[in-house]
Amino acid sequence: GVHPRGREHIDRPLAQENSEVPECEESTPRDGGTRSCTPRYLVPCPIPSLQPEPAMLSIQLTLFFPLAHVILFVFTASTVFHLHQRLARIQPTWESETQAPTEKPMSHQPRGMWTVNAIGRLGNQMGEYATLYALAKANGRPAFIPAEMHNTLAPIFKITLPVLHGTTASRIPWQNYHLNDWMEEQYRHIPGEYVRLTGYPCSWTFYHHLRDEILQEFTLHDHVREEAQNFLRGLQVNGSRPGTFVGVHVRRGDYVHVMPNVWKGVVADRRYLEQALDWFRTHYASPIFVVSSNGMAWCRENIDVSQGDVVFAGNGIESSPAKDFALLSQCNHTIMTIGTFGIWAAYLAGGETIYLANYTLPDSPFLKLFKPEAAFLPEWIGIAADLSPLLKH
């Protein structure tokens, strides 16, 4: 049995328990070998007065030396055996330590670095960010955004992708990879470890399968959201609280000239906005329309406010779009015209969306770069544009 004081007591050397060895006492080796008087325990014995005969002395010496050889052999064998047992126990540890690096293949860690060009205004850069986020994940690569993109998006949204500063980016041998404005199968297998995505990607076909994650990335900062919410809470329709909030984004600015002169297209007119507002008035009780535009003067002249349900809320300042975008994205539904700013406001707001459809001629070069079915979600409602001004020319 185990002694109450434990292994320390059991393993204590025998010499400590019995420090005096009787003279001429035979000892038993621990390995159970032949009982003998070993040199370690020999002590002088009284010698009789009569000396042994030479023959007897010879016999004693003959027996002594073979016995010493036996003891030496047993000691050596015992030592080798115990060393072998101990090595057998610690060998797996050596092997596991030696093989540890090979048990974690480098392929499990993302390699390389992907980024995207930061061009255009807010709507374009949101599309570029979301596309980089989705394609880097699909290809198993770590994604980094340029500092310019961070400066545009970070003041408004709680984005999480790390920033790649200019000094670092300039030392990387980038491989530019151009993207169309819609997802293609080949984009799931983009070669290269240091890839910079280029183009103006802004299509739900890239990232809609990650909608929850994209919405998380584009969560408004608390102060931006609260400012928009406070404004909306104070609105009334003919003295009563609105039943629903509809954000209205009217894109004008440079598009007023670019669309007809470059792309054989039109922007939204007065008639389109009347139809869109009437649709919501028919389907929802007491809606209020929150209008934002980079052409607010035109909106005030062309949107009917006689029913008391329209408020011109945006400031239309393109260089600081946070307020306008927050107001639109915090509404329940959306009316948009054209442009990525309105597309993203509708995507974040959720609810029902009405958009301007078929706003270019069939032979427009714009259709080579832009697929309407890849830009507008299938459940969104399109109202066809009036192309007659283009046909007159």
Side-chain angles (χ1 to χ4, degrees):
V2 178
H3 193 279
R5 295 179 59 184
R7 293 187 55 85
E8 180 181 359
H9 177 81
I10 296 173
D11 294 338
R12 183 182 302 167
L14 293 178
Q16 295 179 12
E17 297 180 1
N18 188 7
S19 58
E20 296 182 1
V21 181
E23 295 181 356
C24 298
E25 180 177 339
E26 294 182 353
S27 62
T28 303
R30 292 189 177 184
D31 57 3
T34 305
R35 295 169 59 90
S36 63
C37 268
T38 64
R40 179 179 177 183
Y41 295 100
L42 289 177
V43 297
C45 297
I47 301 175
S49 58
L50 296 177
Q51 296 296 326
E53 295 293 330
M56 183 179 295
L57 181 60
S58 175
I59 293 174
Q60 290 178 352
L61 291 176
T62 303
L63 293 175
F64 176 80
F65 286 108
L67 183 59
H69 292 165
V70 170
I71 293 174
L72 180 61
F73 172 80
V74 171
F75 174 80
T76 303
S78 176
T79 301
V80 172
F81 174 80
H82 285 90
L83 285 176
H84 177 76
Q85 293 295 317
R86 181 165 297 183
L87 287 174
R89 285 196 299 269
I90 67 174
Q91 185 175 3
T93 304
W94 291 349
E95 292 177 351
S96 62
E97 291 176 353
T98 305
Q99 296 175 0
T102 61
E103 292 175 358
K104 298 179 180 179
M106 294 301 294
S107 59
H108 288 236
Q109 300 295 328
R111 297 172 56 186
M113 183 180 297
W114 278 26
T115 190
V116 67
N117 56 350
I119 52 178
R121 292 189 285 263
L122 180 63
N124 291 124
Q125 295 200 34
M126 291 178 70
E128 292 153 11
Y129 182 102
T131 301
L132 170 65
Y133 184 98
L135 291 186
K137 176 170 284 194
N139 286 269
R141 301 295 186 183
F144 294 79
I145 60 172
E148 313 92 275
M149 179 173 287
H150 181 268
N151 295 339
T152 299
L153 301 180
I156 308 174
F157 307 110
K158 300 179 180 180
I159 54 175
T160 63
L161 290 184
V163 182
L164 180 65
H165 292 284
T167 53
T168 303
S170 63
R171 297 195 297 267
I172 296 176
W174 296 109
Q175 170 192 344
N176 290 333
Y177 192 95
H178 180 76
L179 298 172
N180 290 322
D181 195 23
W182 53 87
M183 181 64 181
E184 296 190 25
E185 181 60 30
Q186 66 196 45
Y187 299 158
R188 303 182 192 278
H189 311 284
I190 299 176
E193 294 186 0
Y194 297 95
V195 173
R196 176 166 50 206
L197 304 174
T198 64
Y200 289 86
C202 182
S203 169
W204 60 268
T205 57
F206 287 108
Y207 45 75
H208 193 54
H209 63 290
L210 301 172
R211 176 176 173 80
D212 290 343
E213 295 180 39
I214 298 301
L215 294 180
Q216 185 69 30
E217 290 294 313
F218 291 139
T219 299
L220 296 175
H221 286 297
D222 295 344
H223 69 279
V224 177
R225 177 182 179 275
E226 194 58 32
E227 182 182 355
Q229 286 286 332
N230 287 337
F231 179 88
L232 296 175
R233 290 189 196 103
L235 297 180
Q236 292 186 341
V237 178
N238 298 320
S240 301
R241 181 173 176 80
T244 191
F245 296 82
V246 181
V248 181
H249 180 251
V250 182
R251 174 67 186 270
R252 292 190 62 79
D254 56 343
Y255 268 36
V256 173
H257 305 287
V258 171
M259 288 308 297
N261 298 326
V262 177
W263 301 120
K264 297 183 180 181
V266 297
V267 295
D269 58 9
R270 180 188 182 105
R271 176 60 181 155
Y272 165 76
L273 292 172
E274 288 177 353
Q275 291 178 280
L277 269 63
D278 287 343
W279 188 93
F280 278 101
R281 290 178 178 133
T282 301
H283 289 79
Y284 291 91
S286 302
I288 190 167
F289 300 96
V290 183
V291 180
S292 170
S293 173
N294 58 351
M296 291 297 284
W298 183 93
C299 292
R300 288 188 172 92
E301 294 176 0
N302 291 274
I303 297 178
D304 183 12
V305 298
S306 61
Q307 299 191 41
D309 56 2
V310 176
V311 56
F312 299 103
N315 56 28
I317 301 176
E318 294 179 343
S319 59
S320 53
K323 179 181 177 181
D324 285 15
F325 190 88
L327 286 172
L328 295 173
S329 66
Q330 291 302 297
C331 289
N332 306 112
H333 310 285
T334 305
I335 294 172
M336 60 163 292
T337 55
I338 57 178
T340 56
F341 190 95
I343 288 175
W344 274 109
Y347 194 83
L348 268 60
E352 299 198 74
T353 297
I354 291 181
Y355 66 95
L356 183 68
N358 303 322
Y359 54 86
T360 66
L361 294 176
D363 62 343
S364 168
F366 189 68
L367 297 178
K368 296 180 180 179
L369 308 174
F370 178 83
K371 287 185 177 182
E373 63 273 19
F376 309 117
L377 286 171
E379 60 268 27
W380 290 1
I381 302 167
I383 296 178
D386 179 10
L387 298 176
S388 60
L390 297 174
L391 302 177
K392 294 178 182 178
H393 300 287

